[in-house]
Amino acid sequence: MAKVVSLDNLLASVAARRSEAAPWLGALIDAASEKFAHVGLPNRRVEAWRYSDLAKALHETVKVEADLDTPPVLAEACVAAFENGVLNDTKSSYCAMGAQSLRKVLAEKDSPVAGIIGRVNPQADHPIINLNTALMEEGLVLQVPKGVTLATPLHLRFNWSGVDAASADGRHLRILVVLEEGAEATLFESHDGAPSFATVVTELSLAPNSKLTHVRLENFAAAARQTAATVGAIGEKAAYRGFYFSQGGHFARHEALLKLAGEEADARIDAAYMVADKRHCDNTTVMDHAVPNTTSTQVFRGVLAGSSRGVYQGCVKVAQAAQKTDARQLSRAMLLSHRAEIVTKPELEIFADDVKCSHGATAGELDANALFFLRARGIPEAEARAMLVEAFLIEAMDTVENEAMREIVIACAHNWMLRHAGEASHVE
Amino acid sequence: MLEIKDLHVNVFGKEILKGLSLTVPPGEVHAIMGPNGAGKSTTSYTLAGRAGYEVTGGEIDFYGEDVTALSPEERAAKGIFLAFQYPMEIPGVSTMNFLKTAMNAQAKLRNEPELDAAQFLRTVRAAAKELNISEDMLKRPLNVGFSGGEKKRNETLQMALLKPKLAILDEMDSGLDIDALKLVAEGVNKLRAPDRSFLVITHYQRLLDYIVPDVIHILAGGKIVMSGDKSLALQLEENGYDAVINKAA
Ligand SMILES: Nc1ncnc2c1ncn2[C@@H]1O[C@H](COP(=O)(O)OP(=O)(O)O)[C@@H](O)[C@H]1O
Ligand SMILES: [Mg+2]
């Protein structure tokens, strides 16, 4: 019987970790755990977690079923394979691109990451990032030297199969990617199976003129409980290109917390989420425009079936000095069932006057006229629905430039539709 | 052979068709003319099986089978084709992909073999050329940004590829200038065949100069009030609907 994740268990684990930690890491753990102990596991009374009550989700019993999906295989990639939260070196090839196991790096007395990890875009009051910092054990560190373009993508392959024995305090994974000046890299992150409780924090430090392409895929089984954060700082003329796909889970949340830290820094996120049954899928973003002349664009498209719930919280911050900021966000949701729900919460905190900020949100059903048109041409209802759902998402999926990755993403969407698009064919 | 017998149809609880009867034998072109609001589009949607068009009485026999309980896709597979008055724009679905899906779906429903990719391309290109439809139009999302004429040509292309037994053309002429109208009518006329019938629905006589019907029916108040040969259209043109309908009553 798995133990319930509780604050006491977590703090006991932190104390144990602290006693073994190198001094530099101990200081980091102390700061993080003190803050974490103060808030605890976030529940709905914490504003940012109002629509995604993690504390409650961790108390609910989940039925673990066999996962139908197998983790995607990306040809010609270096792989870091995490099996049930543990980096498996025999299934990995990350060394070929100079990446290192976080476990090893953390154990070093004078660790090269000492001044970097937890400091890329600090989130001092974030309960989950603090928890992750206090308990991080497994993960990966990738540093791409100045001017280097990595020809092959790094595939961070998280797979949760079988019963996760570490459920007393969950698994807390940490990724650190540092792109030095002018460097370029592609990250392909896939999440499969059902962690009983996992946190994943990905820190991205993008030096001037660097470019990171980040494709994340959450293909969780229904019982999965994970909350993840991508925390980044984007330097002058550097670019972040994110594509996120998620099927949600019992509790699946991902936050993109990006700081536009240098002039002409640019961040763009395109996302497609497809959620069915009783699943929960939370997409939260904070675009922090700290200096003048930066741009951010985010387009989230969601399809919600069954009695699922989607959450989109998009916050744009523009500092007083950040004139000429151009920030756009758009959330579009398609509800395939009357019991499905989308919560959209845009937030603007603008302190500069010469800025362009736009946000829009739409929620609607499948277009009945279009559906009839397709059926009148002989296309069966389920197939016609699938075509319209795919048409709604294709713009997002087309932004994935790497062909192999785009094919994987489209296949995921297609599989989802085979399972769920037809299910909405009767009026609910 | 289409036989509509005493058809009653409710739309949103309101009776729109009130005992419509009509027979179109194979190979014939019949026109339905009528004033705005007479129930012309209601007739075409009901024949195609649109949800919300509730048949409360009568039947629609198609080659001896009552199709009123069939889904739109089943009717399509049986050979009923509706060319829409206002074809839908569907972003994200390319015209080519749509055509392929529709042709394959109908083949499957009829237990016929699907076309392979090369056969499909050849067939589509040949049919598109006849209708002056460019390769570029085929690649674009379905009807998105198409002009009125392009949309109607696209409908005609679908008809040519799907080879229906009954084609219902709902206001094929609406929104078309005379050149576009001629092009579409020419496309339709090429598809006339002994085993294919047409139901040409229009408000104006103009279209019937180009698609010449065997029989004209006048629809008013949810019923056919008068049928006759093509000279009926000229009478309507000269005297207007009111005069002709009043005379019939
Ligand atoms: N969706 C609808 N909701 C309510 N009334 C409708 C709807 N569609 C059609 N009608 C009514 O049905 C009648 C017939 O309409 P329609 O078949 O479109 O006529 P036509 O095509 O001959 O101009 C009209 O009185 C119209 O107002
Ligand atoms: Mg009409």
Side-chain angles (χ1 to χ4, degrees):
Chain A
M1 187 63 200
K3 273 192 279 178
V4 170
V5 178
S6 71
L7 187 58
D8 287 346
N9 285 341
L10 290 169
L11 292 177
S13 301
V14 170
R17 295 270 296 125
R18 173 71 184 86
S19 65
E20 297 162 6
W24 72 269
L25 180 58
L28 206 59
I29 292 175
D30 285 344
S33 67
E34 190 185 319
K35 291 269 191 181
F36 172 71
H38 193 65
V39 182
L41 288 163
N43 60 28
R44 68 214 289 200
R45 285 185 295 277
V46 179
E47 181 55 29
W49 298 79
R50 193 165 158 189
Y51 304 104
S52 296
D53 189 328
L54 179 64
K56 180 164 167 267
L58 291 174
H59 272 95
E60 288 160 350
T61 42
V62 290
K63 211 166 92 200
V64 181
E65 283 167 3
D67 185 10
L68 301 171
D69 294 309
T70 48
V73 176
L74 185 66
E76 292 176 46
C78 287
V79 179
F82 294 89
E83 305 276 335
N84 296 322
V86 179
L87 183 57
N88 182 330
D89 275 344
T90 58
K91 291 187 179 175
S92 298
S93 53
Y94 59 84
C95 296
M97 60 170 42
Q100 290 171 281
S101 151
L102 181 85
R103 182 185 280 279
K104 284 188 192 135
V105 174
L106 289 184
E108 288 171 31
K109 268 213 174 62
D110 299 303
S111 179
V113 302
I116 308 173
I117 201 157
R119 296 195 161 86
V120 169
N121 174 14
Q123 305 287 325
D125 293 316
H126 194 298
I128 290 305
I129 294 173
N130 283 329
L131 171 65
N132 183 282
T133 300
L135 285 176
M136 63 187 173
E137 203 166 1
E138 288 282 0
L140 205 76
V141 175
L142 173 68
Q143 189 148 5
V144 184
K146 190 172 170 177
V148 170
T149 295
L150 292 184
T152 45
L154 172 61
H155 183 178
L156 298 166
R157 195 172 73 204
F158 300 94
N159 188 30
W160 305 84
S161 59
V163 181
D164 174 16
S167 51
D169 61 358
R171 291 282 187 184
H172 307 279
L173 297 132
R174 186 70 156 241
I175 309 296
L176 174 65
V177 175
V178 177
L179 299 192
E180 292 182 359
E181 236 182 290
E184 291 189 21
T186 300
L187 271 189
F188 181 68
E189 201 179 314
S190 67
H191 301 262
D192 284 82
S196 64
F197 175 44
T199 70
V200 181
V201 174
T202 304
E203 280 187 279
L204 307 173
S205 171
L206 309 192
N209 292 306
S210 65
K211 181 179 175 184
L212 184 79
T213 302
H214 184 199
V215 175
R216 325 184 58 248
L217 231 58
E218 286 181 358
N219 277 323
F220 286 128
R225 289 188 292 215
Q226 176 173 290
T227 180
T230 295
V231 186
I234 307 167
E236 192 179 318
K237 293 189 172 132
Y240 172 80
R241 290 279 170 277
F243 172 83
Y244 308 157
F245 177 87
S246 179
Q247 297 192 26
H250 182 79
F251 184 100
R253 169 161 161 139
H254 175 251
E255 300 174 46
L257 310 172
L258 303 177
K259 182 173 193 166
L260 290 302
E263 287 207 31
E264 291 178 57
D266 178 44
R268 177 168 182 116
I269 298 171
D270 289 274
Y273 54 97
M274 310 179 85
V275 198
D277 306 323
K278 290 184 176 144
R279 290 182 184 222
H280 182 93
C281 179
D282 177 327
N283 287 288
T284 293
T285 65
V286 177
M287 292 290 186
D288 184 359
H289 294 262
V291 299
N293 292 310
T294 59
T295 47
S296 70
T297 311
Q298 24 178 338
V299 183
F300 281 77
R301 286 165 199 264
V303 176
L304 299 136
S307 49
S308 64
R309 186 187 226 198
V311 177
Y312 171 70
Q313 308 188 98
C315 177
V316 171
K317 295 183 180 176
V318 180
Q320 199 169 2
Q323 301 295 354
K324 307 278 182 203
T325 287
D326 189 337
R328 292 154 203 257
Q329 53 169 295
L330 179 64
S331 158
R332 294 186 59 195
M334 185 186 271
L335 300 165
L336 295 184
S337 131
H338 296 306
R339 287 177 286 121
E341 183 192 11
I342 173 77
V343 179
T344 310
K345 195 175 104 187
E347 266 180 287
L348 298 174
E349 295 175 17
I350 300 174
F351 296 102
D353 41 35
D354 184 13
V355 299
K356 267 196 266 180
C357 291
S358 67
H359 68 90
T362 63
E365 293 170 17
L366 211 79
D367 183 345
N369 292 322
L371 187 63
F372 173 62
F373 187 88
L374 297 177
R375 295 179 69 191
R377 294 292 174 263
I379 301 170
E381 182 172 7
E383 196 176 347
R385 282 180 173 273
M387 274 178 96
L388 293 175
V389 169
E390 185 167 337
F392 172 67
L393 295 178
I394 195 76
E395 238 175 87
M397 299 191 287
D398 275 346
T399 63
V400 179
E401 283 174 24
N402 180 299
E403 205 177 323
M405 290 182 202
R406 190 171 63 244
E407 273 170 20
I408 290 173
V409 170
I410 290 175
C412 292
H414 193 75
N415 283 338
W416 188 92
M417 284 185 288
L418 287 181
R419 276 179 229 157
H420 300 292
E423 151 190 315
S425 63
H426 50 86
V427 177
E428 287 171 270
Chain B
M1 174 100 128
L2 172 71
E3 293 174 271
I4 305 175
K5 298 173 186 165
D6 193 29
L7 189 65
H8 291 256
V9 173
N10 280 9
V11 185
F12 292 97
K14 194 175 138 202
E15 185 167 62
I16 305 294
L17 299 187
K18 303 169 181 170
L20 184 144
S21 298
L22 183 74
T23 298
V24 188
E28 291 193 6
V29 176
H30 286 217
I32 295 181
M33 298 187 73
N36 278 331
K40 300 186 298 294
S41 291
T42 302
T43 306
S44 61
Y45 287 145
T46 305
L47 291 174
R50 186 172 197 152
Y53 290 75
E54 187 199 352
V55 176
T56 56
E59 45 186 82
I60 302 166
D61 288 352
F62 191 58
Y63 288 86
E65 183 190 355
D66 184 7
V67 298
T68 47
L70 299 186
S71 67
E73 53 268 35
E74 287 167 326
R75 297 185 200 203
K78 297 220 175 280
I80 296 177
F81 178 93
L82 169 62
F84 284 68
Q85 181 173 358
Y86 303 109
M88 288 301 303
E89 298 193 4
I90 308 188
V93 174
S94 82
T95 306
M96 208 60 155
N97 180 33
F98 161 71
L99 292 173
K100 193 165 160 189
T101 310
M103 286 169 78
N104 284 341
Q106 291 208 13
K108 205 166 161 189
L109 287 167
R110 291 182 194 144
N111 286 319
E112 288 167 8
E114 293 182 3
L115 292 180
D116 68 35
Q119 278 173 319
F120 167 75
L121 271 181
R122 236 180 294 127
T123 314
V124 171
R125 285 200 176 123
K129 206 172 156 202
E130 296 234 340
L131 288 159
N132 204 3
I133 290 173
S134 66
E135 195 80 4
D136 175 57
M137 265 172 76
L138 293 174
K139 280 190 200 135
R140 269 149 59 188
L142 188 58
N143 291 327
V144 176
F146 284 26
S147 70
E150 285 173 331
K151 283 180 185 165
K152 296 298 167 92
R153 274 188 275 149
N154 198 8
E155 294 289 286
T156 314
L157 173 68
Q158 292 157 43
M159 184 174 19
L161 293 170
L162 295 169
K163 300 192 176 69
K165 285 202 233 141
L166 169 70
I168 305 154
L169 316 182
D170 190 5
E171 308 260 0
M172 203 63 178
D173 49 339
S174 72
L176 295 194
D177 62 29
I178 199 73
D179 292 329
L181 177 60
K182 277 185 188 164
L183 193 65
V184 168
E186 206 178 288
V188 170
N189 286 328
K190 275 190 202 147
L191 295 172
R192 290 177 75 150
D195 58 349
R196 177 171 297 138
S197 34
F198 287 85
L199 199 54
V200 181
I201 294 174
T202 183
H203 179 77
Y204 300 104
Q205 177 264 337
R206 183 179 77 151
L207 176 66
L208 305 181
D209 288 341
Y210 299 96
I211 303 175
V212 181
D214 299 299
V215 181
I216 294 179
H217 307 276
I218 297 176
L219 175 66
K223 279 185 190 181
I224 301 296
V225 295
M226 197 182 209
S227 300
D229 65 12
K230 62 187 177 195
S231 66
L232 201 53
L234 297 172
Q235 275 184 51
L236 283 173
E237 183 79 351
E238 263 165 46
N239 306 322
Y241 276 106
D242 283 348
V244 176
I245 292 165
N246 287 338
K247 219 169 77 189

